[in-house]
Amino acid sequence: MLCIERHYSLKPFNTFGLDIFADYYTEINQVEDLTTLRRMDVFRHEKRVFIGGGSNVLFLNDFFEGLVIRIVTKGIQIVKEDENDVIVEVASGENWADFVTEMVRRGYGGLENLSLIPGSVGAAPIQNIGAYGAEIKDCFQLLQAIDLKTGSHVFFDAVTSDFGYRTSFFKTLGFGRFVITSVQFKLSKHPKIKPDYGSLKQELDQLGIQHPGISDVSEAVCRIRQSKLPDYTQLGNAGSFFKNPIIHRLLYEDLVREFPDIVAYRDGSETMKVSAGWLIEKAGWKGKRIGNVGMHDKQALILVNYGNATGTELYNYAMQVQYDIKKMFGVLLEPEVNIIH
Ligand code: EPU
């Protein structure tokens, strides 16, 4: 039964821990609920937003004048299996980190570098989540979605999902039109380990592991995350607030002359991806607190709520950081987090 709540607290459903309310709120427990919801007046007439784990959203206002829809569908099933690979289908409402733990436990490789990322499975492809040398697109097989305009079930493969760095079709041209209901991953029973990301390699070395398996990688990733990234249940945050900016080679060459220690990686033949964390730290924002908000003192890319912050306070702080970085380096930092008005 689909239940529409009024004036509903979203505090447990946004990892910034903002004390905010939605005018209307509902939870989707089964895919069929979406068909019912689509026909309802509240869906057709109100402004609406879908959330999963609430780990990549910043609500600007204390009161969202519209309908918040939280997807909580559950289920993990094997669709196909042979001696080498397994195709696993997961419902959108499953918790991402729990799902990865379960795959590692079963010995299915491919997702271990993405351990402990907060959020839901259905939200993961939208921004092509990535960490420690892997992205969701590497193991992605297919996803099912509902076209909110027509009500029909549609499928997207890796090509039509158009994945990019922290983006996909669902964040760009398809924005607002589709709701992802399940995702399929192709995982390997003889996985190729990806241990080469700088801090991951270091952690594995420190643990004395020379030939890591998927559970070693998963454990090392968890250790790094726990040491560097704040736990949102203790300190509200939404992971990296900004994307690492991609800049032209010529601008990069100018910057290296002025800042020889700048951290950047080649991205294309003419472009470089610069560490936003480095830019923010260099500009003096790492660990700098203004009122209830600040950039984290161990990872400058993470905007944190020290308690009782409002969405506007967080946003205004982020805009000051953005302004300073533009002024100092000529580089525009774009939010990775979805800003909800
Ligand atoms: N750095 C600094 N100062 C900082 C942070 C980073 O100088 O405060 C420099 C260091 O040189 C460091 C390098 O940047 O070695 C890379 O740092 P890190 O490995 O922490 O990665 P990141 O580029 O800052 C990205 C993702 C994270 C992901 C990590 C690990 C983005 C926007 N962020 O951060 O993802 O966990 O790599 O792979 O791409 C997220 O998306 O929410 C997120 C946390």
Side-chain angles (χ1 to χ4, degrees), residues 245 247 251-252 254-256 258-259 261-262 274-285 321-333:
I247 64 170
L251 173 57
Y252 171 72
D254 291 344
L255 287 171
V256 174
E258 206 176 335
F259 306 100
D261 57 333
I262 189 168
V274 183
S275 159
W278 183 90
L279 295 171
I280 295 167
E281 183 171 348
K282 193 75 178 176
W285 286 93
V321 175
Q322 187 190 52
Y323 177 82
D324 251 20
I325 301 296
K326 179 78 183 152
K327 205 167 75 178
M328 189 163 167
F329 304 102
V331 175
L332 179 68
L333 289 187

Side-chain angles (χ1 to χ4, degrees), residues 6 18 26 38 56 67 82 98 112 123 172 177 212 214 242 245 265 276:
R6 291 298 306 265
L18 297 174
T26 192
R38 257 190 84 246
N56 206 43
L67 169 67
D82 61 26
D98 292 347
E112 54 283 355
T172 51
R177 176 152 177 181
I214 57 172
F242 296 105
Y265 313 87

Side-chain angles (χ1 to χ4, degrees), residues 130-133 165-166 197 199 225 228-229 238-240 242-244 263 265 275 277-278 281 286 298-302 336:
Y132 307 102
Y165 167 58
R166 292 298 193 280
Y197 189 88
S199 51
R225 294 191 75 95
K228 270 203 193 157
L229 309 179
S240 299
F242 296 105
K243 293 196 241 186
N244 286 324
V263 178
Y265 313 87
S275 159
W278 183 90
E281 183 171 348
K286 187 173 185 169
K298 291 202 190 114
Q299 217 311 357
L301 248 186
I302 313 237
E336 194 220 273

Side-chain angles (χ1 to χ4, degrees), residues 38-52:
R38 257 190 84 246
R39 296 201 195 98
M40 294 171 75
D41 282 349
V42 63
F43 185 84
R44 286 187 306 198
H45 301 316
E46 294 292 330
K47 183 166 81 168
R48 59 183 185 240
V49 62
F50 283 88
I51 58 171

Side-chain angles (χ1 to χ4, degrees), residues 57-315:
V57 286
L58 172 59
F59 283 89
L60 279 190
N61 302 312
D62 295 348
F63 189 72
F64 179 75
E65 284 183 42
L67 169 67
V68 171
I69 306 148
R70 199 162 76 93
I71 309 285
V72 295
T73 50
K74 295 280 184 285
I76 300 177
Q77 62 178 41
I78 298 205
V79 175
K80 210 169 146 198
E81 182 171 11
D82 61 26
E83 65 273 22
N84 295 319
D85 301 309
V86 54
I87 293 180
V88 185
E89 181 168 52
V90 203
S92 282
E94 288 282 354
N95 176 277
W96 175 263
D98 292 347
F99 166 60
V100 174
T101 304
E102 177 59 17
M103 293 303 103
V104 171
R105 194 190 65 76
R106 293 192 198 179
Y108 301 155
L111 300 174
E112 54 283 355
N113 297 52
L114 306 177
S115 295
L116 218 61
I117 296 182
S120 68
V121 166
I126 298 178
Q127 55 150 1
N128 181 25
I129 58 170
Y132 307 102
E135 284 181 334
I136 205 179
K137 75 168 169 54
D138 306 338
C139 299
F140 175 88
Q141 180 78 4
L142 193 79
L143 66 77
Q144 272 199 63
I146 293 213
D147 182 342
L148 292 170
K149 202 164 176 191
T150 62
S152 55
H153 291 254
V154 280
F155 295 86
F156 289 86
D157 61 15
V159 174
T160 48
S161 295
D162 194 24
F163 295 118
Y165 167 58
R166 292 298 193 280
T167 191
S168 72
F169 171 75
F170 308 99
K171 216 176 165 176
T172 51
L173 295 177
F175 180 76
R177 176 152 177 181
F178 300 93
V179 55
I180 296 170
T181 53
S182 68
V183 189
Q184 287 183 16
F185 296 96
K186 185 175 182 180
L187 304 176
S188 173
K189 294 182 181 175
H190 313 288
K192 199 170 168 294
I193 304 295
K194 288 172 272 183
D196 295 331
Y197 189 88
S199 51
L200 175 57
K201 208 166 181 321
Q202 253 174 32
E203 187 68 32
L204 288 165
D205 286 347
Q206 259 172 34
L207 290 167
I209 299 170
Q210 276 152 14
H211 303 290
I214 57 172
S215 49
D216 300 318
V217 170
S218 175
E219 194 193 323
V221 166
C222 291
R223 289 171 73 109
I224 307 170
R225 294 191 75 95
Q226 280 159 345
S227 70
K228 270 203 193 157
L229 309 179
D231 174 356
Y232 71 82
T233 61
Q234 310 294 321
L235 205 55
N237 75 85
S240 299
F241 189 83
F242 296 105
K243 293 196 241 186
N244 286 324
I246 292 163
I247 64 170
H248 195 273
R249 181 177 53 82
L250 295 174
L251 173 57
Y252 171 72
E253 284 165 9
D254 291 344
L255 287 171
V256 174
R257 273 190 286 277
E258 206 176 335
F259 306 100
D261 57 333
I262 189 168
V263 178
Y265 313 87
R266 185 169 286 284
D267 184 64
S269 63
E270 292 300 298
T271 51
M272 298 290 290
K273 190 192 268 184
V274 183
S275 159
W278 183 90
L279 295 171
I280 295 167
E281 183 171 348
K282 193 75 178 176
W285 286 93
K286 187 173 185 169
K288 180 166 162 180
R289 182 169 170 172
I290 301 180
N292 297 315
V293 308
M295 300 313 289
H296 191 51
D297 58 358
K298 291 202 190 114
Q299 217 311 357
L301 248 186
I302 313 237
L303 179 63
V304 298
N305 170 9
Y306 286 104
N308 302 319
T310 63
T312 312
E313 229 178 321
L314 284 159
Y315 185 74

